[in-house]
Amino acid sequence: APDRRRGTASAAVAALVRAGELSPHPGDRSRRLTEAAHLATFTGQLDDVPRLLTDAGHAAAPPTGLAFAVTAHLLTHDEGDLDAAHRLLTRALDDNAATATDDGRYHCAILYALLLVSLHTLRPEPWQLLKTALDRFEPTAMTAIRLCYEAYVDPTTASDALRKGLADAFAALPADPAPWELIPLAFAAVAMDALSDHRYLISRMIERERDGGAVAMVVPALMLLCHDSYVHGRWDEGERLAQEAVDLAEIHGYRLWERQIRALLASGAALRGDADLARTRSEETTSWAAPRGIEVTEAYARAARHLAAMGQGDYEEAHVQVGRIDASGARSVGVPGRWLVLNLVEAAVRTGRTDEAREELAAARTAGIHRISSRTALICAGAEAVAADEDDAGPLFETALALPHAARWPWEHARIQLAYGQWLRRTRDHHARRYLSAALETFDRIGAQAMAQRARNELRATGVVTPSGPAAPAAALTVQERQIAELAAVGLTNRQIGERLFLSHRTVGSHLHRLYPKLGITSRAALRAALEARTPGVTVRAGGPAVP
C-alpha cells in the first residue's frame, strides 16, 4: 500500500480494497477490507465504511479488534452515539480472540477509538477503560495516548514531569509525523495550555493531509489551533481556523467534530459580545449534544451562554449556565472544568453567593488546578482575589497580576485587571484608572466588545470619558429589552415591570444591567434621554411603548 504518512491515505484505501478483492484466502480478504474500512474512517469516506465492513464479514472470519474499533469510530463520528461506542469497545477488550493479534496497529486502533470517546465525556468510565487498555497493550507507539490520558485525568500529581514528558514526546517526533502520532499529543498540549510551541508541526500536518489524506485528523487539528488562538487573544485567526474545520467536517460527515467546533464558535461570539449569536449557536449545539450524552460538547456550549451573560452583566443567568457545565457538582480537573474556576467564582460572588464561591475555590485548591499551567495559576489566583473579603482583596489582585507569564493569557489577564479596577474604584483609590485603562486596551485589541464597554463604564464612573467602541453605539435592543427600558424610563419599579411582562423582578434587573452598556449609560435616570436619542421624534410616555 502507498505510504500513509505522506498525505496518500485515500489512495491507500483504494489499494487495500483492490488487494482484498484479489486475495484468494478468506482471512486475508477480511483483514485487508477491514483495514481499508479503518483507514476510510480517517479519509472522509465514512459512507463507504459500512459496505467495506459488510464485505469483510463475507469471509466468515471472527471479528478482530480492528473491526470493533472501526464500528466504534463510525458510531462516534457519524451518529454521536458515545454510549454505543463505549459498549462496543468494552466488548472488544473482553473478547480475547479479537485482541490477541500481535499486530500493534490493531491495539492502537482500539486505543485511539477509546480516546475519541473519552475526550467527549465528563464521565470517568471511558477514561478508566482507556487506562485498562493502555496497561494491557503497552504499544510503544502509543506514548502519545498515555500522555493524553495523564493530561486530561491526572495533570496535577506530577505536573512538571508531565510537561517535560510532553515536550520530550514532541521533540522525538520525526519531521513529518503521522497524524495519529501527532494529534493525541496536540490534545494533551491543549489540555496543559502548551500547544503554542508546537503549532508549526500541526500546521505542517494540516497542509500535507488536507487533500487526499487523513482529513479526520485535519479537522481536530484545526480545532486545536483555533483553541490555542483564542486563549492567546488572536480571535480573528481562531474564527478562520474554526470555520475551515466546520466546513471540512460538514462536507465529510464528521458530525461530532462539527458540533464541537460550533460550540467553540458560540464561545467566540460570546467573547466578542454578540450575545444573541452566542445563544443561538449554543442552543443548536446543546439540542444535538445533550440527548446523546456528549457532555464535553454540551459543556462548551453552556460555557458560551455563561460568557454571553457575563458580558451583559446578567450574573444570575451566568451562574445558572456555568453551574450546569458539570452536573456532578464536584470541581473537575478535566476539560473544560480546569479553566472555569474564575467563571464559577465570579458568577457566585456577583449574585451574593460568597460561601459558594469559596467552596469552589477550596475544591480547586484541593484538586491542584493551579499547578496545571501558568494559565490555570492565573485563573485560580484571580478567583482568590474576586472571592476575598473587601479588606483583603487588594494584595491578592496584585499577586495574581504579577504571576509569571500572566500577560500571555490576555482574556483572563484583562478580566482580573477589570475586577481589580472595580475594587479600587469602590475604595476610591485613584489607581483604579490605571487598571481599568489597561483592561480596556486589551479588550479593545482582542475584540471583546461587551467587556470593553464594561471597562468604559467603570472608567466613566471615575471621571474618565473614553471613545465608544465600534459596536457600542449600534448595539440593538431586543423587543423585550425595549419594553423593559421604556417602562423603567417612566418610573416603574422592577417588580411593577415584572408584573406587567410576566417576569421575575430579578430577570427585569438583569435585563436593565444589560441595557445600560448598549445605550451608553450607567444609571436608570438616563434611560428616557437615551431611548429618545436613539429614535428622534419619538417620546417615551408612561403606560406603554414609545410613540411619535
Side-chain angles (χ1 to χ4, degrees), residues 164-188:
K164 183 179 185 305
L166 191 56
D168 290 345
F170 272 108
L173 289 173
D176 59 342
W180 26 85
E181 295 174 311
L182 182 58
I183 289 301
L185 284 180
F187 269 104

Side-chain angles (χ1 to χ4, degrees), residues 279 308-320 350-351 480-481 484 494 503-518 524:
R279 281 192 289 268
M310 289 290 283
Q312 293 187 309
D314 188 350
Y315 299 113
E316 282 291 341
E317 175 67 9
H319 181 267
V320 168
R350 297 283 191 174
T351 55
Q480 189 171 71
E481 286 173 342
I484 291 171
N494 289 1
L503 300 171
S504 74
H505 69 281
R506 284 179 178 269
T507 299
V508 172
S510 294
H511 277 296
L512 284 169
H513 280 296
R514 292 202 300 271
L515 287 169
Y516 296 158
K518 289 186 176 185
R524 200 182 191 103

Side-chain angles (χ1 to χ4, degrees), residues 102-112 130-146:
D102 291 330
D103 192 336
R105 289 179 303 158
Y106 290 11
H107 294 167
C108 292
I110 293 174
L111 288 169
Y112 188 81
L130 176 60
K131 179 65 163 56
T132 298
L134 282 166
D135 292 342
R136 176 174 167 184
F137 295 150
E138 295 188 352
T140 55
M142 282 295 102
T143 300
I145 288 184
R146 187 175 293 278

Side-chain angles (χ1 to χ4, degrees), residues 210-253:
R210 182 186 276 112
D211 298 319
V215 68
M217 298 294 197
V218 171
V219 172
L222 288 164
M223 179 185 74
L224 295 173
L225 290 181
C226 162
H227 179 99
D228 185 66
S229 296
Y230 269 132
V231 299
H232 288 291
R234 301 190 301 271
W235 292 359
D236 289 343
E237 176 184 79
E239 287 172 11
R240 176 182 58 78
L241 291 164
Q243 193 56 58
E244 182 180 356
V246 164
D247 292 344
L248 282 173
E250 194 170 20
I251 289 168
H252 295 288

Side-chain angles (χ1 to χ4, degrees), residues 18 55 71 92 124 239 241 302 398 449 497 524:
R18 181 61 176 158
D55 291 347
T71 306
E239 287 172 11
L241 291 164
R302 291 199 180 280
E398 293 281 359
Q449 294 171 3
I497 296 169
R524 200 182 191 103

